[in-house]
Amino acid sequence: MTKPSAIVTPNTWAFLRDPMITPTGFREYDARWKYPEEINLPGITALGFGLGTQMRRRGIDPVIAVGNDYRDYSLSIKNALIVGLIQAGIQVKDIGPALSPMAYFSQFHLDVPAVAMVTASHNPNGWTGVKMGFDRPLTHGPDEMSELRDIVLNGDGEARPGGGYEFIDGVQEAYLEDLVGDFKMTRPLKVVCAAGNGTAAAFAPELFRRIGVEVVESHTTLDYTFPHYNPNPEAMEMLHDMAASVKASGADLALGFDGDGDRCGVVDDEGEEIFADKVGVIMARDLSKLYPNATFVADVKSTGLFASDPELQANGVTADYWKTGHSHMKRRVKEIGALAGFEKSGHYFLAEPIGRGYDCGMRVAVEICKLMDRNPDMKMSDLRKALPKTHSTPTMSPYCADTKKYATLDRIVAKLTAKADAQELIAGRAIKEVVTVNGARVILDNGGWGLVRASSNTPNLVVVCESPESEDELRTIFADIDAVIRTEETVGEYDQTF
């Protein structure tokens, strides 16, 4: 295996022949690059060769399910990946165009140990990447990604005989049937289905109809140019569009999906955007009645209500706050036997007996419809208003280069920790503790908090704040946290504020 070049130069002879890979594309729990500025097709083949070699070295049965999202270049990326996997002696089962959770489902449906899903998830066009895993329902974490990076970048792939290719038809239908099961709505429910013209457009409207939901379609025509907005239910642009559709149609709620369908966003009947961590609390309240004394995992970006909500406490819930990231969360849910995990970004990890533990926006949509069916006298806005009131920011991402963001974050964490040690105040309040499991979550004496961490898949930091008191206090918490962030010259402008 040729050792890849770290410099990618399009429109050269070498670009068509030799693997070129920017090393920063190997991230904490998946791989993502701008294509073709940061990786070329021979580089993708080198990635597949390395992934197959990693499977062989770990003694994993050499069979893998492979899928791709709907972007116009994803099929070329997948085919280049498959070439490398076959060179490493891996039997490839190609499930065709797919959502990431459909690819995860195929591991169970086809009974294969490994998966590789070609997707840039919610990143804008121009990005590509691969989500992969060996131990279902888990995906690669930092250890596996470091091992894979070293194999690929050092040119340590090992050619083996026995590789092959098979196209597997029918997985999409099996996935939809699995999601529906024997459930049918018993109350009327009108839902705006927002797909942002992404891959979920091929799944979600049909899924809702099968369970007896009246569907209001919003940008459900497949279009890889994303003419309206980038499908990302954490972005206010998409949430605002969903809210407008609810108000125009009189729908009971809106459910929106990201580019590869592993996340779900919610807007209620009043057009209020409910951030996914609050939706998680609503779901946890409902599920903890069915499964008392359950454990729920929440990521460090999520609301403090998982630990403080009186209804969850009355139902014997144990709350566990953990690292942000789909691989970290999946692993934590499995390790501690949690019923579910909730991430502010809209990833939900519903374990047995509800789901299989992987993040699936379609499964969440069905479970939200079931929740509404179990509460026939309640609107989604009623469920939102029943929660203790807190004020929170959207997820905000100031620019910070991939090569600098972790060192920058380390300095910010040190400064915030020093403020706590010096008994300095944030928003006029004492700092109760600084949780550093994933960046720094600065918790105040009234339960308010501010978080700074590094994005795992884009050149950004991530900032989220929450106040149990008021919008004014929320703004002050953010201003005080941002003042520390602004001491670092490597940090640029925010993608969105509030």
Side-chain angles (χ1 to χ4, degrees):
M1 174 179 172
T2 304
K3 189 174 180 178
S5 169
I7 300 171
V8 182
T9 309
N11 197 15
T12 62
W13 182 263
F15 185 80
L16 294 180
R17 184 191 62 187
D18 302 331
M20 299 181 180
I21 305 173
T22 303
T24 52
F26 291 93
R27 300 174 185 270
E28 279 187 52
Y29 40 78
D30 55 27
R32 290 188 204 185
W33 293 271
K34 286 184 178 179
Y35 171 76
E37 295 92 335
E38 297 177 351
I39 193 166
N40 64 349
L41 290 177
I44 295 289
T45 295
L47 178 67
F49 193 32
L51 182 62
T53 298
Q54 186 181 31
M55 289 176 64
R56 289 286 198 170
R57 287 184 181 177
R58 286 175 168 243
I60 294 165
D61 190 26
V63 186
I64 191 168
V66 180
N68 61 280
D69 67 18
Y70 188 72
R71 296 172 196 262
D72 64 333
Y73 46 85
S74 289
L75 180 58
S76 298
I77 300 291
K78 181 180 72 174
N79 288 339
L81 186 79
I82 287 171
V83 169
L85 287 163
I86 292 172
Q87 287 174 347
I90 307 299
Q91 288 286 331
V92 174
K93 295 186 181 293
D94 183 356
I95 63 172
L99 297 174
S100 289
M102 176 181 144
Y104 303 150
F105 164 78
S106 74
Q107 287 182 275
F108 294 85
H109 179 63
L110 303 176
D111 193 23
V112 300
V115 66
M117 173 67 190
V118 172
T119 180
S121 186
H122 64 277
N123 284 23
N125 273 329
W127 285 84
T128 191
V130 184
K131 294 179 177 178
M132 54 211 120
F134 298 155
D135 182 13
R136 63 193 185 197
L138 306 183
T139 42
H140 274 25
D143 292 344
E144 293 85 359
M145 286 305 301
S146 295
E147 181 183 73
L148 175 62
R149 180 194 63 219
D150 290 346
I151 293 171
V152 174
L153 296 184
N154 292 330
D156 287 343
E158 301 168 20
R160 296 279 193 100
Y165 174 89
E166 179 184 8
F167 186 84
I168 306 293
D169 207 1
V171 178
Q172 180 175 353
E173 178 60 27
Y175 171 59
L176 286 169
E177 289 178 357
D178 182 73
L179 288 166
V180 173
D182 57 4
F183 174 64
K184 199 83 170 179
M185 294 292 301
T186 62
R187 68 175 276 185
L189 195 70
K190 186 176 183 179
V191 175
V192 171
C193 172
N197 305 102
T199 316
F203 295 81
E206 171 67 14
L207 174 63
F208 286 134
R209 292 189 181 98
R210 290 191 189 191
I211 65 175
V213 166
E214 181 184 351
V215 181
V216 178
E217 298 194 28
S218 175
H219 310 314
T220 55
T221 302
L222 287 164
D223 187 340
Y224 48 61
T225 67
F226 303 148
H228 301 286
Y229 51 73
N230 190 50
N232 176 9
E234 201 174 13
M236 300 309 295
E237 182 182 19
M238 181 171 184
L239 290 168
H240 289 336
D241 189 72
M242 290 162 60
S245 295
V246 167
K247 291 173 181 176
S249 65
D252 295 298
L253 70 156
L255 297 170
F257 307 97
D258 73 332
D260 66 335
D262 58 9
R263 296 194 294 137
C264 181
V266 180
V267 171
D268 70 19
D269 52 286
E270 294 182 350
E272 283 289 317
E273 298 117 3
I274 312 177
F275 293 139
D277 54 344
K278 297 289 183 66
V279 176
V281 177
I282 292 170
M283 294 182 73
R285 280 183 158 199
D286 181 70
L287 292 172
S288 60
K289 294 172 189 171
L290 302 175
Y291 307 97
N293 304 313
T295 296
F296 296 107
V297 180
D299 82 316
V300 294
K301 287 161 56 180
S302 288
T303 176
L305 288 176
F306 288 102
S308 64
D309 176 49
E311 188 165 326
L312 292 183
Q313 291 176 344
N315 293 341
V317 163
T318 299
D320 180 80
Y321 284 88
W322 196 242
K323 300 175 184 178
T324 292
H326 63 87
S327 285
H328 294 310
M329 291 288 290
K330 270 182 278 226
R331 197 170 302 266
R332 186 66 171 177
V333 167
K334 183 177 181 180
E335 283 177 352
I336 69 173
L339 181 64
F342 304 104
E343 198 174 3
K344 187 179 173 71
S345 63
H347 289 273
Y348 301 75
F349 310 86
L350 303 173
E352 297 286 357
I354 306 164
R356 293 188 178 85
Y358 53 77
D359 38 341
C360 177
M362 303 298 116
R363 169 58 62 198
V364 173
V366 171
E367 295 307 317
I368 288 174
C369 292
K370 288 180 180 178
L371 181 155
M372 299 303 294
D373 207 56
R374 286 192 290 267
N375 296 274
D377 300 325
M378 300 282 277
K379 300 175 182 178
M380 181 56 80
S381 58
D382 296 329
L383 297 170
R384 168 178 56 83
K385 292 171 184 174
L387 298 180
K389 178 69 174 174
T390 68
H391 307 265
S392 55
T393 69
T395 300
M396 302 173 290
S397 299
Y399 178 81
C400 192
D402 280 325
T403 53
K404 298 179 179 178
K405 64 188 180 186
Y406 290 107
T408 299
L409 177 69
D410 287 344
R411 292 191 297 270
I412 292 170
V413 170
K415 291 171 185 176
L416 290 169
T417 303
K419 285 179 78 73
D421 292 342
Q423 299 184 341
E424 295 181 26
L425 304 181
I426 295 283
R429 293 192 175 274
I431 299 171
K432 181 181 176 183
E433 65 176 320
V434 180
V435 178
T436 57
V437 68
N438 188 204
R441 178 165 168 144
V442 181
I443 302 173
L444 308 181
D445 58 9
N446 68 340
W449 54 272
L451 170 80
V452 188
R453 60 178 292 273
S455 171
S456 300
N457 45 40
T458 58
N460 297 100
L461 300 180
V462 175
V463 181
V464 184
C465 303
E466 181 179 58
S467 166
E469 298 288 339
S470 67
E471 186 82 12
D472 286 343
E473 183 180 78
L474 175 68
R475 293 185 180 279
T476 309
I477 293 171
F478 170 65
D480 287 356
I481 296 290
D482 185 57
V484 177
I485 294 170
R486 291 294 142 200
T487 63
E488 293 293 329
E489 294 181 356
T490 53
V491 182
E493 296 299 312
Y494 283 87
D495 63 333
Q496 60 181 4
T497 54
F498 67 108

